[in-house]
Amino acid sequence: MSESFQSLEFCLDIVRRRRLLIFFVGVCLFALATAVAILWPPTYRSTATILIIEQEVPSDFVRSTITSYADQQIERIKAQVMSRSRLYPIIEEHNLYEDLREHDTSAAALEEFIDDIRIEVMSADVVDRRTGRPTQATIAFTLSYEGSAPYITQKIANELTTLFLNENLKNREQQVQQATAFLKQESEKLANSLQQFEKKIAEFKNKANGALPELFQMNMQLLSQVERELIEKNQQAQVQEERILYLEGELARRKSELQIKPDGSLSLREQLKALRHQYASLASHLSQEHPDIIKLKGEIEALEGIVGKPSDSRELSEELKNEELKLSKLLEKYGDDHPDVIRARSTIVLLKEQTTDTTSSGSDSEDDNLYDPTYVTLMTQLATAKTTFAHLSASKKRLEKRVSEYAARVELTPEIEPTYQALVRERDNAAKKFQEYRSRLLEAQVAEGLELERKGERFSLVDPPSLPEEPIRPNRKAIIFLGLVLALAGGVGSAVLAESLDDSIRSVDRLRAIAKIPTLGVIPYLSTREEQRARIRARSLFGVGALVLTAVSLVMIHVFWLPLDVIWYTALRKLRIG
Amino acid sequence: MERIQQALERVKQPQVQQGEVVTASSSLRDTVPDPIRYSGTKTRPSNLEDLVARRVLTSDQHSPFVDAYKILRTQVLHRLKEHRWNVIGVTSPGAQEGKTIVAVNLAISLALEPNHTALLIDANLRNPQIHQLFDVDNYGLADYLLDQVSVSELLIHPEIDRLVVMPAGGPVKNSVETLTLAKMTTLVQELKHRYTSRIVVFDLPPVLDTADVIGIAPRLDALILVVEEGKTTEKRIREALASVRETVPVLGVVMNKAGRLSGGVSS
């Protein structure tokens, strides 16, 4: 307790000792601070608040093609706006930073200008709808400009705001238009390639000639159907064949029935035939005048008179052929003059004559049977059966051809399938992609409409730059307060400094410690009456002097600088007291 | 004119003074000195108000200033008695630290105590001041040492009981040589032994700026070092003490002008 008291006493002592120093340093610092506070040129700030409005149509319905976040956009626009080409005209138009432009480069002025523009983003804590996590969303930003004159400051802030908003609109329009154009181009490209694929597939189908995998099932069905038909036809043909055979058999039987009379003798025709054979064989080795020959001739003529001339040219030609064959064989063995050869030759000549005779006579050997109704019926049936058979075999041939055709198709199908499938797949892919782009393009067109109609996310000026009434800097009160603190601190500091530099003895304790000999006494300072009087005089003089000085300086300020009342109200206003 | 007349008078009556001193010394065997035995010495009426204005004690009435000197006196007496000393010098490390006032007031304070008489000698031959304080002519020690003037002629009784003052005279340039004259030794010896209850107080020049104190110190019993609060630096105090340590004991230090900044005290 006593120590702290002592130290307090000590401090007070120091203050008392150094009061003049403290006073002067303090007053000087305070005066300086006050001067700074009053003389510091004011800086005004005009601020525009721009709200970022979300798109009005819910994004579930129309999704904008602009996906960057608001603050990204702000940054981008900032970069675009803060360019020399945009800002320098403003500087020139409003004649800003005249000093800098005169004494420094225009770049310095520009830099200063950019420095005076401030963009601050306001964000709010929100919960992301998709992820459910709390995030920060930019909901608005302020654009402010700081200048030395309120009107100019507001004007510049206004211009900057306009620049900013226009830039944003332009940006967004450009962006959506670019997106739409790109999508359009892409979908056109895709349509083209899709067409190409379609063409290719058509060609392929043409070439494949029905062997397409998609027709495989049908081909199979057709194949089996045709096969079935073929089998059917075969059966029918067989039946017809059998019938023909049967009918022919019947016919033959009937014929022979007609030739062999019921008594068992040969028919006249057969007799004639047999006589002719006999004649032929006799004529080969007997002369014509032989009685047998003449007899035979007479018999044949008689018979021919009944039956008619031998009409069976077929038989004659067969005989002719046989004779010719015999002749060639004989010629191999004998010479031309051999009697067998001569005989054969004359037979052939005879036969040839007979042949020409029969063809010229043209009589039908069957004529005899035409008069038999059974035979005729059989003949008719046979003819029908034959016709049917011919039809059947024709259709069989047709069916066989078709079967082979279908079989070929079915066989070919697996071979061409991969190529075809690949083609189809490519086409499908292209089609899908095309569809996708198509729908995207539509969306983008809607989004473009959204932007052009100003219904998308946009910057809305909620608070246009106002005319700043109060400067933001300097905070004169704060400066004065700081000056006060500084004055106190400086005073105390200077006192401490003086004290630390001053080595003079202050206390009896210290004296005792240094001298190491007893302190005999402490004589207080006796101030004489003279001194007291002098002090009082000095004080009153000082007071009067200060008053006079103040009065004189006030009068001088009033006369030479500004009327005092004006200063007073200015000071009050600057300090925001009035 | 008046001063010259007084001086002439002094020159004319050396014997009378000498005789007076001797008689006085014979009567000093008593414990209580006779208050009017300085009748032979020149008596200088003092203007009390002037003395007060010069910070010279005029009474033993209660006041912080007077009390401080009483304490100092007691301390000094106590130590002197202990060593049977009676010649002390008052000095300080530097000039203007109040050693003359302390010397004068200590002498007065000593004189105010009935058991003692005090002789105050201004030995500051460079810058004598005591004659100014008492408003007397500046004839004194230098005249005795250099001009063969007798001591009795130089002593003055300033109408304060039991106090005799000897001004410095001068000023002289070679003060060190003057102070170290053999005559000085004789004088001090004589003064020291003449009256048992007399205490001789020398007002000395500063220790550090001159060699005077070193020169005269061996002749003194002890020194008192006056320091001024807020002015004398610690370094100079140490130096002053160190410079006289070998030659004379230092009785103690006195802190002077304490509380000056807070206005001090009024009488």
Side-chain angles (χ1 to χ4, degrees), chain A residues 17 505-506 520 523 525-526, chain B residues 55 230 232 253 255 261 265:
Chain A
R17 264 202 299 280
I505 195 79
R506 293 291 170 202
L520 300 175
I523 312 295
Y525 182 78
L526 179 71
Chain B
R55 300 194 176 83
T232 314
V253 285
M255 173 86 92
L261 284 164
V265 297

Side-chain angles (χ1 to χ4, degrees), chain A residues 379-398:
Chain A
M379 279 293 276
T380 319
Q381 278 181 349
L382 181 63
T384 317
K386 270 185 179 165
T387 321
T388 314
F389 180 72
H391 274 298
L392 278 175
S393 41
S395 66
K396 224 169 80 185
K397 234 173 237 162
R398 236 180 17 250

Side-chain angles (χ1 to χ4, degrees), chain A residues 260-371:
Chain A
I260 303 158
K261 301 275 185 219
D263 48 25
S265 64
L266 280 171
S267 68
L268 294 171
R269 198 175 287 258
E270 290 300 311
Q271 279 171 22
L272 181 63
K273 213 174 176 180
L275 285 175
R276 272 189 193 146
H277 267 287
Q278 214 171 354
Y279 172 77
S281 57
L282 284 176
S284 58
H285 54 269
L286 294 174
S287 72
Q288 293 289 321
E289 282 84 16
H290 195 279
D292 283 353
I293 296 288
I294 296 164
K295 192 188 148 201
L296 269 174
K297 260 189 184 173
E299 276 180 41
I300 288 169
E301 273 171 19
L303 271 174
E304 271 178 351
I306 304 163
V307 178
K309 280 243 174 155
S311 58
D312 204 347
S313 55
R314 204 177 22 183
E315 279 170 26
L316 282 177
S317 66
E318 259 173 44
E319 264 173 57
L320 182 64
K321 242 181 252 173
N322 283 340
E323 285 308 317
E324 274 169 349
L325 207 66
K326 222 184 268 174
L327 176 66
S328 63
K329 271 175 190 170
L330 287 172
L331 276 172
E332 276 169 23
K333 276 186 221 164
Y334 316 110
D336 261 349
D337 302 328
H338 196 280
D340 280 357
V341 173
I342 293 163
R343 210 175 34 234
R345 274 205 185 127
S346 61
T347 314
I348 287 170
V349 170
L350 200 73
L351 275 172
K352 270 182 183 164
E353 277 170 12
Q354 282 183 357
T355 308
T356 46
D357 286 350
T358 47
T359 45
S360 60
S361 70
S363 67
D364 201 349
S365 58
E366 305 280 333
D367 288 348
D368 299 340
N369 308 330
L370 286 177
Y371 305 105

Side-chain angles (χ1 to χ4, degrees), chain B residues 23-142:
Chain B
T23 45
S25 72
S26 60
S27 68
L28 260 169
R29 303 280 182 264
D30 304 331
T31 46
V32 179
D34 184 359
I36 48 161
R37 96 191 97 101
Y38 294 112
S39 52
T41 312
K42 274 185 288 181
T43 301
R44 281 278 142 210
S46 300
N47 186 339
L48 285 182
E49 275 191 20
D50 285 354
L51 287 179
V52 168
R54 292 165 193 154
R55 300 194 176 83
V56 176
L57 285 184
T58 50
S59 69
D60 58 353
Q61 284 168 348
H62 274 297
S63 90
F65 194 62
V66 175
D67 290 347
Y69 276 106
K70 278 183 182 167
I71 292 165
L72 175 64
R73 175 186 70 189
T74 314
Q75 289 272 4
V76 169
L77 276 177
H78 179 68
R79 281 173 173 73
L80 288 178
K81 226 173 247 173
E82 204 175 292
H83 296 97
R84 298 183 167 279
W85 290 334
N86 67 346
V87 179
I88 54 172
V90 176
T91 186
S92 68
Q96 299 295 322
E97 285 169 347
K99 51 191 175 312
T100 301
I101 296 292
V102 171
V104 169
N105 284 340
L106 177 63
I108 293 171
S109 186
L110 285 165
L112 283 173
E113 199 178 63
N115 295 336
H116 300 95
T117 58
L119 172 57
L120 173 67
I121 300 174
D122 190 349
N124 190 349
L125 299 184
R126 290 161 177 266
N127 182 20
Q129 283 180 324
I130 284 181
H131 66 281
Q132 288 174 351
L133 283 178
F134 287 103
D135 199 13
V136 294
D137 297 330
N138 190 15
Y139 286 103
L141 188 60

Side-chain angles (χ1 to χ4, degrees), chain A residues 18 135 366:
Chain A
R18 307 289 172 188
T135 53
E366 305 280 333

